[in-house]
Amino acid sequence: MSGAPIELLQTGPEQVELIRNLYQFYAYESSDWEQEDVEVNGLYYIHEAHLARYWQDPDWSAHLILVDGFIAGFLLIERSELPGLDALELADLFILKKYRRQGIGRAVATQVLMSGVDAWLVRFYRQDETALAFWRTVLDELPRPVQAIEPDDDPQLLSFMVTRATH
C-alpha cells in the first residue's frame, strides 16, 4: 500500500455536486453489468431523491476518500432497507483508477466494516469480476464473522453479512 495518508471525510449537502460528478465515473464502470445507457445529455442517470438521502436520512452518509489530500474516490453508506435485516450497508465504494491496486479500497473497507457495533451488509453484482475478487479478499481477511445471505430482492447481487463476534 502507498505510504500516503488515507482519509475518510464525511461530506455535507454542499458537496452533493462533487459526489454526483464522481458517481458518473462509477456508473460508467458499472454500465457493463448494469446495462445502463447515458441519457440524452451524455450523463448517466442519477436518482436525485435517492442521492439527497445521504444527507437527510439517519445512518445514511456520503464520504470522500482522500489520499495525501487528493480525492481518490468515494464511499456511500445506507441503512439497509431489506425486510428483517438490521444492518448498515456499504452501498458503493469507488476508487479512481490512479489510486487502484495500492490497498486503499481494502484499507477503507476494512476500517468501515470493523467500526462500530452495527452489522454490515455488503452487496455487489456477480458479473463484476473486479468487485468479486476485491470483496473476496477483504471479507476473507476480515477479523469479524462473515456470512453469505440470499435475500430474494435481486438474484444478480451477491450479499454478505458482517457481524460482531459473540462472546
Side-chain angles (χ1 to χ4, degrees):
M1 186 171 95
S2 94
I6 301 169
E7 185 180 358
L8 194 57
L9 179 68
Q10 187 166 343
T11 63
E14 68 281 358
Q15 291 160 310
V16 66
E17 187 173 349
L18 173 56
I19 297 296
R20 186 185 296 118
N21 290 344
L22 289 170
Y23 196 87
Q24 289 297 310
F25 298 112
Y26 178 79
Y28 169 76
E29 289 201 3
S30 63
S31 65
D32 287 355
W33 50 90
E34 290 199 24
Q35 297 297 305
E36 295 292 327
D37 289 307
V38 294
E39 303 285 307
V40 294
N41 64 0
L43 298 173
Y44 286 94
Y45 174 77
I46 293 179
H47 190 270
E48 292 297 328
H50 186 88
L51 182 63
R53 291 181 72 181
Y54 291 103
W55 298 280
Q56 296 169 349
D57 286 11
D59 293 331
W60 283 52
S61 56
H63 305 259
L64 288 175
I65 299 167
L66 304 177
V67 173
D68 207 17
F70 293 96
I71 296 171
F74 66 84
L75 169 69
L76 302 178
I77 295 173
E78 303 174 1
R79 171 62 63 184
S80 173
E81 295 180 335
L82 289 173
L85 196 63
D86 183 23
L88 292 174
E89 182 174 350
L90 205 153
D92 297 298
L93 171 62
F94 179 71
I95 305 294
L96 292 164
K97 279 190 176 187
K98 174 183 177 181
Y99 295 97
R100 290 187 191 159
R101 308 195 70 74
Q102 299 176 38
I104 296 163
R106 186 182 309 177
V108 168
T110 300
Q111 174 190 334
V112 169
L113 294 174
M114 292 300 294
S115 67
V117 296
D118 287 290
W120 284 93
L121 176 63
V122 174
R123 307 179 87 191
F124 53 88
Y125 285 93
R126 13 180 121 250
Q127 304 95 315
D128 185 350
E129 294 174 11
T130 303
L132 180 63
F134 171 81
W135 284 112
R136 185 162 282 147
T137 300
V138 169
L139 296 174
D140 284 351
E141 294 176 357
L142 201 63
R144 280 179 87 169
V146 177
Q147 175 185 353
I149 61 170
E150 294 186 20
D152 56 11
D153 65 323
D154 189 341
Q156 300 297 322
L157 290 172
L158 292 174
S159 303
F160 296 88
M161 282 294 299
V162 177
T163 57
R164 295 193 70 71
T166 54
H167 298 352

